[in-house]
Amino acid sequence: MPPALLPDSVAGVIARCLKARGIDRVFGLCGGHVMPIWMRLDAEGIAIVDVRDERAAVYMAHAYGLLTGRVGVALVTAGPGVTNAMTGIANAHVARAPVLVLSGTPPRPQENRGALQDIVHTELVRSVTRYARSVREPSLALAELDEAFARAAGHGGEPGPAFLDFPTDTLRAVVPAAVQLAEHFAGRPRPLLAAPADAVARAVDMLWSARRPLVISGRGAAGAGDELIALLDALGAPYLDTGESKGLVAEDHPSVVAAVRGAVLGEADLVLTVGRRLDFQLGYGSPAVFGDARFLRVADTAAELRDNRRGEVELLATPALALRQIVGQARGRIPAIDRAWLADLRARHEERAARLRESMRSAPDDADGRMHPNRLLALVQEAIGDDAVVVADGGDFLSFARVGTQCSTYLDPGSLGCIGVGTPFGIAAALACPGRTVAVLTGDGAFGFNAMEIDTAARHRVPVLIVVANNGAWQIEVHDQMTTHGKVVGTRLQHADHAAMARAFGAHGERVERAADLPGALQRALQANRRGCPALLDVLVSGDAVSSDARSGLAWVPDLQPLAAWDDAERRWRGAGPN
């Protein structure tokens, strides 16, 4: 038997380690430099989802890891395999997603001699990974793999991508039995970190004495849904989710006030962030947006604890455990919350949400008979229900989908703005959540980045629904160019027939040009999903509709804040006056 196929080869040990840690799928694109790992994964019964571009492999590992609670694994070959994967690695880095990327390099005797695909990967990926190493010594492979898993999962730090590569001759070499320690195969769960009792007591005092407390959740709250709801029930505070935690708290919970987001940000006197950075989506925590509010911050990583605004109390702790401590410590106390304020917020939220739902259902077609994006979303929502996994992707269309979609599990491009994740995320979601409806809602521009992955979905019979809102343009930029510059330059696309492409790859595909035809098309697409077939609906939508992101100034990139209104407020707060 060739050394590459031996269970005790480095490649074999890698595959055995992945299997021992519950890794049931690896996403990748084959190549000679990683073929020993590829074949040993198959020998160990680990499924390989072979993709059409390495970027998509990392996107899939990203989504699969988030949805399964494990580290997602991508396998990419040397040179261009790694450079292709870089955008996916960078997105996982910003999103703080647990991903392990494995690769290969030329054999050691060919190093620095101009070998095929010879490039120093670690220097490329180091700035966007938690750990980046080349493993040249076979006896160190298992220990390095153990460390990479720990770093990716955030043991002792921020979760995110880790990277390892191996010379191909190292992959074929045998790992001495003596160093194959069971402790390196087994791995360990991320350690739970409790908050200090005195800090918990101070947090309780802040929360229960506040008149207008606001709770905002993010990535770090993902494993703390029950504890978050228990806190909201005990405190009675209003609550805002973000794209990182949408669906964690049901839309009908009395604390949800998402439709009056702007008002509650400026009215709160105390803001509790749970595993959420104060990034551009939250105005960097600026007093120009939050007024005189005090901050209380809970997170398991420093990046989500003290960026932009320090908390009067900062709990570096596992969010679920910290929230449990807070609720337990507060038992029996009566919160000082202004209940009339909360009732008013909730009433305004419900009124606006109902008005939005009605306006979406009745949104008129444009002069050419093309449907409004909101009408598309309303019809999709009726078809998939509120318990679907939704992946929203794009620029302009994402702005509509982010507000107009209800679901229990949600993924989007995240704060890097990495459009093009839709189809890969959707494929991974359908594999991670069998039996659940998975809908990708994407603009046509974003869809084009990874359109070839329809082939991957068809070959692997992944039952994912992809709805392409086709307006033939990069629409936010079109609106901005017309408003700011008076002409459109390089932002028009064509109304390409994406459904025809899907059918060519073996997926169910339909082009929908009228709103009246969409319900039937959706039912046929979902029936195809139930047969194990991916489905794509290419829906022509109006380019006349202006999204909230297009109206807000996001496209022209204000100097101080991402949105024009916040930028003006920031200038006034700094004393510069509005432009």
Side-chain angles (χ1 to χ4, degrees), residues 91-115:
N91 195 46
H93 164 69
V94 174
R96 306 176 301 288
V99 172
L100 173 62
V101 179
L102 301 175
S103 185
T105 65
R108 287 170 291 182
Q110 299 183 45
E111 288 179 349
N112 301 316
R113 301 181 66 195

Side-chain angles (χ1 to χ4, degrees), residues 440-455:
V440 176
L441 309 178
T442 178
D444 55 333
F447 173 69
F449 279 93
N450 284 289
M452 281 295 292
E453 299 308 327
I454 296 294
D455 173 65

Side-chain angles (χ1 to χ4, degrees), residues 24-325:
D24 58 352
R25 281 187 176 86
V26 169
F27 304 90
L29 204 161
C30 63
H33 293 98
V34 295
M35 197 61 74
I37 302 176
W38 194 274
M39 301 311 295
R40 282 309 309 174
L41 292 174
D42 178 71
E44 293 292 340
I46 297 173
I48 297 174
V49 180
D50 53 308
V51 303
R52 299 299 301 269
D53 186 279
E54 289 86 356
R55 168 180 49 180
V58 184
Y59 289 156
M60 291 181 195
H62 174 155
Y64 198 76
L66 290 181
L67 294 172
T68 62
R70 300 191 292 268
V71 173
V73 180
L75 177 60
V76 303
T77 198
V82 173
T83 58
N84 286 348
M86 284 287 290
T87 300
I89 296 171
N91 195 46
H93 164 69
V94 174
R96 306 176 301 288
V99 172
L100 173 62
V101 179
L102 301 175
S103 185
T105 65
R108 287 170 291 182
Q110 299 183 45
E111 288 179 349
N112 301 316
R113 301 181 66 195
L116 175 67
Q117 299 182 334
D118 188 9
I119 190 171
V120 182
H121 304 139
T122 52
E123 291 185 5
L124 292 174
V125 304
R126 186 162 284 118
S127 67
V128 289
T129 55
R130 306 293 176 267
Y131 194 71
R133 291 287 182 91
S134 290
V135 184
R136 303 173 74 253
E137 169 52 48
S139 64
L140 297 177
L142 194 51
E144 287 282 14
L145 195 59
D146 189 17
E147 182 66 16
F149 263 106
R151 298 289 189 96
H155 294 197
E158 187 177 46
F163 176 90
L164 293 178
D165 63 15
F166 305 79
T168 306
D169 62 322
T170 296
L171 290 174
R172 290 190 281 257
V174 171
V175 179
V179 302
Q180 294 185 37
L181 302 177
E183 63 199 55
H184 292 317
F185 281 98
R188 290 171 174 79
R190 193 179 187 192
L192 295 177
L193 183 62
D198 61 333
V200 172
R202 291 169 58 205
V204 169
D205 286 341
M206 289 182 70
L207 288 166
W208 263 255
S209 63
R211 294 285 291 161
R212 296 186 171 191
L214 169 65
V215 179
I216 303 176
S217 65
R219 178 216 63 86
D226 291 343
E227 292 80 2
L228 179 60
I229 292 169
L231 173 72
L232 295 173
D233 290 343
L235 183 60
Y239 165 74
L240 296 177
D241 63 22
T242 60
E244 295 179 356
S245 57
K246 184 177 173 70
L248 199 61
V249 176
E251 294 280 342
D252 60 0
H253 191 280
S255 289
V256 172
V257 294
V260 289
R261 181 179 299 263
V264 70
L265 291 178
E267 294 173 6
D269 62 5
L270 173 65
V271 177
L272 166 62
T273 63
V274 182
R276 185 59 166 89
R277 297 188 68 176
L278 290 168
D279 61 12
F280 77 96
Q281 295 170 325
L282 291 170
Y284 310 116
S286 171
V289 175
F290 287 89
D292 295 329
R294 305 153 70 199
F295 281 81
L296 167 61
R297 310 199 62 181
V298 176
D300 57 5
T301 70
E304 295 165 355
L305 193 70
R306 55 179 181 264
D307 65 305
N308 290 313
R309 291 296 298 276
R310 300 298 299 259
E312 290 188 25
V313 175
E314 298 169 345
L315 303 183
L316 181 59
T318 304
L321 186 53
L323 296 178
R324 203 178 308 144
Q325 290 177 274

Side-chain angles (χ1 to χ4, degrees), residues 507-571:
H508 175 88
E510 294 188 44
R511 189 175 178 91
V512 181
E513 299 186 6
R514 298 187 307 154
D517 298 331
L518 184 54
L522 282 163
Q523 291 308 313
R524 290 187 293 274
L526 291 170
Q527 288 170 6
N529 283 174
R530 286 190 283 273
R531 298 192 302 269
C533 180
L536 183 144
L537 300 181
D538 183 35
V539 185
L540 295 184
V541 297
S542 173
D544 295 342
V546 183
S547 68
S548 60
D549 283 354
R551 288 193 302 269
S552 68
L554 194 67
W556 60 265
V557 193
D559 289 344
L560 302 178
Q561 285 280 356
L563 308 182
W566 286 356
D567 192 67
D568 287 344
E570 185 80 18
R571 290 176 184 279

